């Protein structure tokens, strides 16, 4: 089962208490389904849990009879599409009016009277997500979206999400294949929004993935930094050894002062040592900067030769 379907299944198991929360949930599911008209109300989904929830909630809210049709999407698989409809046009009109909509309205917009209570907004967004939402597996990417059937409805949804106080900027809607997609990309905002809509476990999984990626990126940066430092050390050592070998070939190491001779021989014997290790290995240990100063003198002598 996909991460998005698991998330919806978790939301469907979340509690609904009171008539106002029931109204908000039913409203979110009905309004964002592709068919919500005075004479026709139906919802199509691949999520069995969402189909069952909608059927139960609409019946409990309006006392109407619903009908469920199931279509197999592929032979030999459990892929199914559920269509839940209200077959009686009179019952459709009843639900339409109970949710405060009029057949005379030119555009389908969110009726705020259905989500006046503070506890109603999370249920309304949960209903919308169950019908037209999708969240990407955090193993792959951070992306949550609502595919809304109408432009003005998408704009209303952007404002509603912004009013939760969970987003830094109001989401935008883009046109895609006949729908208006309202999307969010920030991982922390997605986790907060899922928690708000009743999917705490899915939100926790996203947060765990965020922490894992943060640690992994930190480790990678450290490894890259250490690799870069190792490369610099190796390049510097190669230059120093080349200078020492040049002096040895042309003049012999006795050409150098005693302090430089000791360091030169130590460098030839230990090409992997960094400056600190070279300084500590001398008979009279010196600092890293002292070693660097002596090696620069050796390189200058080699250049003069």
């Amino acid at each position: 089962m996909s991460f998005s379907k698991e998330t919806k299944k978790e939301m469907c198991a979340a509690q609904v208490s009171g008539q106002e929360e029931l109204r908000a949930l039913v409203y979110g599911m009905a309004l964002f389904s592709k068919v919500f008209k005075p004479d026709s109300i139906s919802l199509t989904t691949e999520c069995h849990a969402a189909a069952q929830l909608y059927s139960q909630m609409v019946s409990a809210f309006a006392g109407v009879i619903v009908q469920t049709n199931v279509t197999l999407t592929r032979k030999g698989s459990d892929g199914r599409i559920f269509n839940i409809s209200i077959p009686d046009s009179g019952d459709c009109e009843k639900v339409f009016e109970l949710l405060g909509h009029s057949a005379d309205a030119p555009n389908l917009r969110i009726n705020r009277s259905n989500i006046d209570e503070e506890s109603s907004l999370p249920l309304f967004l949960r209903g919308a997500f169950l019908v037209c939402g999708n969240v990407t597996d955090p193993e792959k990417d951070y992306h949550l979206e609502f595919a809304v059937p109408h432009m003005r409805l998408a704009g209303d949804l952007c404002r509603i999400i912004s009013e939760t106080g969970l987003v830094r900027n109001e989401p935008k809607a883009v046109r895609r294949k006949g729908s208006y997609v309202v999307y969010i990309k920030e991982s922390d905002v997605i986790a907060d929004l899922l928690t708000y809509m009743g999917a705490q476990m899915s939100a926790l999984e996203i947060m765990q993935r965020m922490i894992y990626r943060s640690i992994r990126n930190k480790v990678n940066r450290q490894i890259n930094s250490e690799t870069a430092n190792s490369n610099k050390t190796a390049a510097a050592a190669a230059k120093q050894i080349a200078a020492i070998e040049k002096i040895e070939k042309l003049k012999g190491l006795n050409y150098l002062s005693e302090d430089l001779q000791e360091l030169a021989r130590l460098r030839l014997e230990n090409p992997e040592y960094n400056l600190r290790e070279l300084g500590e290995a001398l008979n009279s240990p010196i600092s890293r900067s002292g070693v660097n100063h002596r090696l620069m003198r050796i390189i200058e002598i080699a250049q003069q030769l």
Side-chain angles (χ1 to χ4, degrees), residues 226-243 267 271-275 292 295-296 299:
E226 289 173 354
T227 300
N229 289 336
S230 297
N231 290 340
K232 288 179 181 178
T233 300
K239 184 177 181 180
Q240 295 154 10
I241 291 170
R267 169 49 90 198
E272 76 282 3
Y273 277 15
N274 58 33
L275 298 184
N292 185 58
L295 287 170
M296 292 302 295
I299 291 171

Side-chain angles (χ1 to χ4, degrees), residues 128-154:
F129 182 82
L130 288 173
V131 173
C132 68
N134 185 67
V135 60
T136 302
D137 188 335
E139 289 276 357
K140 301 174 182 176
D141 193 13
Y142 299 122
H143 183 91
L144 182 146
E145 68 178 36
F146 299 81
V148 184
H150 307 291
M151 182 180 68
R152 292 185 182 277
L153 198 56

